[in-house]
Amino acid sequence: MLACVDVAYGDTSALAACVLFESWTSARASRTLTKVVAPIAPYEPGAFYKRELPCIEAVLADVVATLEAILIDGYVWLGRGRPGLGAHLFDTLGGRVPVVGLAKTSFHDNDVALPVLRGKSNTPLFVTAEGIDAALACDHVRSMAGPHRIPTIVGLADALSRGR
């Protein structure tokens, strides 16, 4: 089982979403979970993980399946030796579950993110990973269902986190 997680923020709370799916090529969710998290930590520049990680942990706590990997909306690595949200999640999980980061925008000075084109878009997604080879993670992202730049499962996690 694989999981795709995303979080959206309100003024005093966040809604964390988790989409469970069978394989990287799955077009549909096996199960979806959401969790309201309150209170939330304030945004801290350069330490986004302090705000987002507790929300992701909260929704993942309700997952009973053994996870093959977790896909996050964001970066695992902000650059060589610079951990992002995904690296912190990987460490929090004791290094037992690979984490793949899928970012929609380029992070300045990132020397490890690999660009991936999907659909007919000329705008890449930026993939980073921990616990799995980055090139293999890119192959998985390319294989994900959906005709557009953003894979269907990722779009579903985004919509659920926004309460849709």
Side-chain angles (χ1 to χ4, degrees), residues 22-73:
E22 294 292 327
S23 73
W24 289 101
T25 59
S26 295
R28 294 187 353 211
S30 297
R31 183 172 180 215
T32 62
L33 305 161
T34 58
K35 184 82 146 199
V36 174
V37 179
I40 52 174
Y43 173 73
E44 185 179 329
F48 177 66
Y49 73 93
K50 290 181 180 178
R51 184 176 208 205
E52 186 124 342
L53 188 57
C55 300
I56 292 173
E57 288 178 287
V59 75
L60 287 177
D62 293 337
V63 174
V64 294
T66 300
L67 295 176
E68 176 186 328
I70 299 170
L71 181 63
I72 65 163
D73 179 8

